[in-house]
Amino acid sequence: MKAPLILEIKGNSLDDGPGIRSVVFYKGCPLSCVWCHNPESKKAAAEISFDAKVCINCGTCRDACPEEALSRDNRFYIDRSKCTLCFLCADVCPSGALDRVGKTISVDDILKKILPDKPFYETSGGGVTLSGGEPTLYMEFTSQLLKALKQQNIHTILETCGYFDLDSFMDMLYPYLDTIYFDIKIIDTIAHKKYCGLPNERILDNFKQISSTAKKDDKILLPRTPLIPDITDTEANIGGIAAFLKNLNITKAALLAYNPLWHEKSDKIGVDDPYKKSKTMTSFSENSIVDRCQDIFANAGIKSSA
Ligand code: SF4
Ligand code: SF4
């Protein structure tokens, strides 16, 4: 079984579905969106991160590195062309400034970690959300995890980019899901390829198929669109997505306001993304733009939360 690296298992989340939830963040995604809110989740392989704010400049890591890859002369501290990802530096760093991003953890160990929170899920109407990265990249592992959660009567949500093999999804994941948060980011396939790395036909097709089944099965399928300045929040894109959803009789969606907090995260993993320098990418979504996008959805009969 192909096992994922897990970035984090976050407890007490109030932002990833109803009630109090635990969120399992996978590492690895088939898309590569230029604004990715979790840039450390893009690559499936482990990475080393450096947080300058936490470093106490003790020099222990520099002595431990066999490749002489660490230096204050480097803007990101780590010279990634020399680094062999041995993680010796992270092992000795006393402050946690250096860290291994992505760890293997078994389904049993995930359950051990989250089951103590089950009473909180039960009293708050919460549960467990699988997020990422992209959990559908690891169908077998995710299927086992969801099955184990349902055996414990735990409410399950999947957050997905929608780019997966539909037959495997319906067979292995769908039966164990209560709710699916399904991203529809860009309606034009050429723009989707430009900004997300792949065309969108497979995503839109998967959404169509799942929407007809989910209604019959009484499962919640919530389309979500991140409002990225001048990329996804344009009238043409939001109008196109609204028309696509209206055709499928979808009446509820989520519009996710943009925030630029990912810039700091991508610095930690040494990514010098050109989009960080774009002026529109450095501030939060303006309320007027969120309102305008909600109005476009409302005119198509779709109630949207932001
Ligand atoms: S992971 Fe290993 S090679 Fe890379 S900087 Fe740390 S000690 Fe050096
Ligand atoms: S060991 Fe950690 S705290 Fe010390 S210099 Fe290296 S990164 Fe900074």
Side-chain angles (χ1 to χ4, degrees):
M1 178 175 66
K2 197 168 126 199
L5 293 179
I6 300 296
L7 284 175
E8 184 189 0
I9 301 171
K10 183 171 130 197
N12 295 321
S13 170
L14 297 171
D15 303 322
D16 296 275
I20 298 171
R21 310 192 72 83
S22 295
V23 189
V24 183
F25 289 96
Y26 286 56
K27 188 159 164 52
C29 182
L31 300 189
S32 185
C33 304
V34 297
W35 61 82
C36 182
H37 191 60
N38 289 327
E40 71 281 22
S41 72
K42 284 181 166 182
K43 281 190 196 164
E47 292 173 88
I48 182 95
S49 76
F50 172 67
D51 185 347
K53 282 199 287 206
V54 182
C55 174
I56 54 171
N57 206 12
C58 64
T60 316
C61 57
R62 293 192 283 274
D63 294 339
C65 177
E67 309 298 332
E68 297 185 358
L70 299 170
S71 159
R72 282 278 163 204
D73 298 336
N74 187 295
R75 195 185 136 213
F76 295 115
Y77 192 59
I78 303 165
D79 181 344
R80 285 164 200 272
S81 65
K82 290 184 185 167
C83 174
T84 56
L85 294 175
C86 67
F87 302 109
L88 289 172
C89 56
D91 291 344
V92 297
C93 174
S95 71
L98 284 159
D99 193 22
R100 181 195 165 110
V101 182
K103 293 179 181 114
T104 320
I105 174 163
S106 67
V107 168
D108 284 348
D109 285 341
I110 293 176
L111 283 180
K112 270 186 213 148
K113 198 164 162 62
I114 62 181
L115 280 180
D117 284 353
K118 195 178 168 195
F120 298 114
Y121 312 152
E122 286 168 352
T123 49
S124 68
V128 173
T129 301
L130 306 187
S131 184
E134 179 52 45
T136 64
L137 267 186
Y138 304 90
M139 288 284 183
E140 210 178 317
F141 181 94
T142 303
S143 181
Q144 283 190 15
L145 177 56
L146 287 170
K147 238 186 258 182
L149 292 169
K150 290 322 288 177
Q151 274 162 7
Q152 296 284 340
N153 270 325
I154 292 174
H155 181 269
T156 56
I157 296 180
L158 171 74
E159 295 183 340
T160 179
C161 72
Y163 196 91
F164 48 70
D165 175 71
L166 185 64
D167 289 342
S168 307
F169 175 85
M170 295 309 285
D171 217 32
M172 300 168 78
L173 307 192
Y174 181 83
Y176 312 109
L177 286 167
D178 295 303
T179 294
I180 303 159
Y181 289 170
F182 195 118
D183 284 1
I184 298 182
K185 306 172 207 281
I186 299 178
I187 201 72
D188 176 72
T189 191
I190 294 169
H192 197 281
K193 185 159 186 218
K194 177 177 174 190
Y195 292 112
C196 301
L198 288 170
N200 69 3
E201 286 86 354
R202 184 184 216 190
I203 296 169
L204 298 182
D205 227 44
N206 283 347
F207 186 87
K208 267 189 217 165
Q209 303 293 335
I210 296 168
S211 75
S212 62
T213 316
K215 264 178 216 150
K216 282 185 242 142
D217 295 341
D218 213 20
K219 291 182 194 265
I220 294 174
L221 172 68
L222 185 75
R224 303 193 310 174
T225 302
L227 299 178
I228 311 305
D230 296 344
I231 297 178
T232 71
D233 70 358
T234 61
E235 283 199 39
N237 187 52
I238 297 299
I241 292 174
F244 170 77
L245 296 176
K246 187 181 178 184
N247 258 339
L248 299 171
N249 297 318
I250 299 287
T251 55
K252 217 171 152 201
L255 293 167
L256 309 175
Y258 174 76
N259 77 59
L261 301 177
W262 61 275
H263 292 201
E264 202 178 303
K265 293 187 191 176
S266 74
D267 280 349
K268 285 186 196 168
I269 52 167
V271 176
D272 207 3
D273 200 306
Y275 282 92
K276 281 196 283 196
K277 296 190 182 92
S278 141
K279 229 171 135 197
T280 52
M281 288 286 213
T282 52
S283 43
F284 290 76
S285 283
E286 285 173 29
N287 288 342
S288 60
I289 290 179
V290 176
D291 291 347
R292 189 203 66 204
C293 294
Q294 286 192 307
D295 287 347
I296 295 171
F297 268 40
N299 288 337
I302 303 161
K303 194 172 167 212
S304 58
S305 53

